[in-house]
Amino acid sequence: MAEQDSALAADHPVAPRPGTDPAASGTATVVPLHGEIDVLTAFPLSDRLDALTARPHPDLVLDLRAVGFIDCAGLGVLCRARNRVLARDGRLRLVTESASLRRLLRAAGLGGVFELVTVPPRPARGGSGR
């Protein structure tokens, strides 16, 4: 059973992309996500985002442009990250060009809850800023 669960999880990658870590962009941490954010990927992603939002004043940017699907578990992960960021006086931005994601957020009663941008912030000049 565990092998089957691992195989299913491998078919539902969520991120960060293999070989990449969240990148510092100025003071923001940009996390490029891809694949599906669903019941199979929600817990590991939530754990990762919890670690990234543990410090005071987190500035987190979730790049969702390569995400093809988000279910209610995925929306829960985004809401949890938002709540953790706000509780620590931080900022959360979602990068998306997807009209369907915007419709999904409105349908779920989350329209206007998230700060949506179409491009991630540019890196600070002269290095990563960290």
Side-chain angles (χ1 to χ4, degrees):
M1 180 81 166
E3 288 178 11
Q4 184 179 21
D5 291 342
S6 296
L8 287 174
D11 290 339
H12 292 81
V14 69
R17 288 188 172 115
T20 65
D21 282 322
S25 175
T27 59
T29 300
V30 179
V31 182
L33 302 177
H34 70 284
E36 298 179 356
I37 304 176
D38 59 13
V39 71
L40 293 175
T41 60
F43 290 115
L45 178 59
S46 187
D47 287 346
R48 185 72 182 266
L49 296 180
D50 283 357
L52 292 172
T53 59
R55 291 183 272 166
H57 312 289
D59 187 357
L60 187 60
V61 178
L62 301 180
D63 188 344
L64 303 175
R65 292 176 295 175
V67 171
F69 177 79
I70 299 178
D71 70 4
C72 60
L75 290 177
V77 170
L78 297 179
C79 288
R80 177 180 173 83
R82 178 186 174 274
N83 292 342
R84 287 177 57 85
V85 165
L86 292 178
R88 290 162 180 79
D89 295 319
R91 182 178 184 192
L92 173 66
R93 288 168 275 178
L94 305 180
V95 180
T96 183
E97 299 167 346
S98 170
S100 62
L101 176 59
R102 292 172 191 267
R103 281 191 305 272
L104 175 64
L105 291 172
R106 281 193 305 272
L110 299 171
V113 169
F114 293 97
E115 182 179 350
L116 302 176
V117 296
T118 56
V119 294
R122 291 185 176 177
R125 289 186 176 189
S128 68
R130 287 191 179 191

